Amino acid sequence: YEFEDTLRLVSIVPSLAVTGTIAFVGVYLDGFSVRELQMTCRGLFGKDVSEVVFVDSSMFRLPVPKINMSSEDARRVSFVLECSRDRDTEFISFVAVSPSLDFDFFKMASIEKVYPSRGPTLGENMIRLYGSFPGVSLLGSSTTCKFGSQSSLATVLSDTMVICTAPAHLGGDLRTGMILFKNDQTFSNRIDFEYEQAMRITRIGSLVSVGGQSYELPVSGEHFTRSASAVCKLGLMTKTSA
């Protein structure tokens, strides 16, 4: 009973993993010292066993087992920590089992297309990701789009579409890779995204009559993109430019 009362799990970080990949988790404990009690421990991910590979005063580090999920997009299992100690003189084995914590497995997501594949350095434009995102909508943890070192919260619309808002570019290479994260775990491939310098108006010319019925307003500036549509707004009136 001494060991059962002492073995208390605080958290497991991260609390999810992509199947088929090499991953490690840290298991944090409260008021427990394996070294002092000379105990050996292992983690149970449901029925799958993982041996502890590193121990410090308040944390274990252990590999995540590779499980078979041929017919499932995601699976939630109960994680428990089991520790034991043998007293050589008495030939008695003591076993302590912790309360359980949830742990999620899911399949690797695949980004096939991003639209648009470029955006202004100021950010704030909506990006659509198309592909296969199995199990992402089934688990309640947060999903994040990561543009280089910058992140933004993603909205999962379905197992084939995710949207997010591009963050502002903070400098460096304008070409960056975008990937999806879930609770700080990478769970998709990388796809290219390119930032463009934001347009800047430097001069507005005089109105030019066109056929006596309409007018053109010359606008000069920097970083205009010919392939992009632009809208000129004068007060409450708008006009799509050529």
Side-chain angles (χ1 to χ4, degrees), residues 25-39:
V25 295
V27 180
Y28 294 84
L29 304 105
D30 178 30
F32 181 73
S33 176
V34 175
R35 287 176 176 170
E36 290 179 7
L37 296 179
Q38 298 179 342
M39 301 183 79

Side-chain angles (χ1 to χ4, degrees), residues 10-233:
V10 176
S11 62
I12 179 170
V13 181
S15 61
L16 50 84
V18 176
T19 58
T21 62
I22 299 175
F24 287 84
V25 295
V27 180
Y28 294 84
L29 304 105
D30 178 30
F32 181 73
S33 176
V34 175
R35 287 176 176 170
E36 290 179 7
L37 296 179
Q38 298 179 342
M39 301 183 79
T40 58
C41 301
R42 65 179 186 172
L44 301 177
F45 295 81
K47 296 181 180 180
D48 295 278
V49 179
S50 178
E51 300 295 336
V52 172
V53 296
F54 175 80
V55 182
D56 68 11
S57 59
S58 61
M59 185 193 79
F60 296 161
R61 189 169 185 262
L62 63 161
V64 177
K66 297 180 180 180
I67 66 173
N68 183 14
M69 289 175 49
S70 57
S71 60
E72 300 172 271
D73 289 335
R75 182 190 300 176
R76 175 161 287 174
V77 301
S78 294
F79 172 84
V80 297
L81 192 66
E82 181 182 274
C83 297
S84 63
R85 183 180 72 170
D86 293 327
R87 291 185 175 179
D88 297 334
T89 56
E90 301 179 24
F91 303 99
I92 298 176
S93 178
F94 293 87
V95 177
V97 180
S98 72
S100 64
L101 295 174
D102 288 337
F103 192 88
D104 296 324
F105 290 94
F106 54 88
K107 292 181 180 179
M108 176 68 78
S110 174
I111 305 175
E112 299 172 3
K113 179 182 178 182
V114 54
Y115 181 82
S117 60
R118 55 177 59 190
T121 54
L122 296 177
E124 299 301 324
N125 56 313
M126 187 176 69
I127 306 297
R128 292 181 175 87
L129 306 179
Y130 299 93
S132 175
F133 312 110
V136 177
S137 59
L138 301 180
L139 304 175
S141 50
S142 62
T143 304
T144 302
C145 294
K146 192 163 187 179
F147 298 73
S149 60
Q150 297 294 107
S151 300
S152 68
L153 190 64
T155 301
V156 180
L157 298 183
S158 69
D159 283 348
T160 59
M161 185 176 177
V162 173
I163 61 173
C164 54
T165 302
H169 184 261
L170 299 182
D173 193 350
L174 295 177
R175 292 171 297 177
T176 183
M178 186 174 64
I179 53 180
L180 287 180
F181 271 69
K182 198 173 185 68
N183 282 13
D184 297 325
Q185 284 285 87
T186 302
F187 76 100
S188 81
N189 58 306
R190 179 185 186 275
I191 194 166
D192 290 335
F193 183 84
E194 185 171 355
Y195 281 100
E196 298 177 321
Q197 294 289 348
M199 294 186 292
R200 187 169 73 93
I201 297 175
T202 58
R203 182 176 178 274
I204 298 178
S206 301
L207 287 173
V208 178
S209 175
V210 180
Q213 297 181 351
S214 61
Y215 294 89
E216 288 184 349
L217 181 63
V219 178
S220 302
E222 299 176 343
H223 309 303
F224 293 158
T225 304
R226 290 184 178 180
S227 61
S229 61
V231 175
C232 296
K233 186 171 184 180

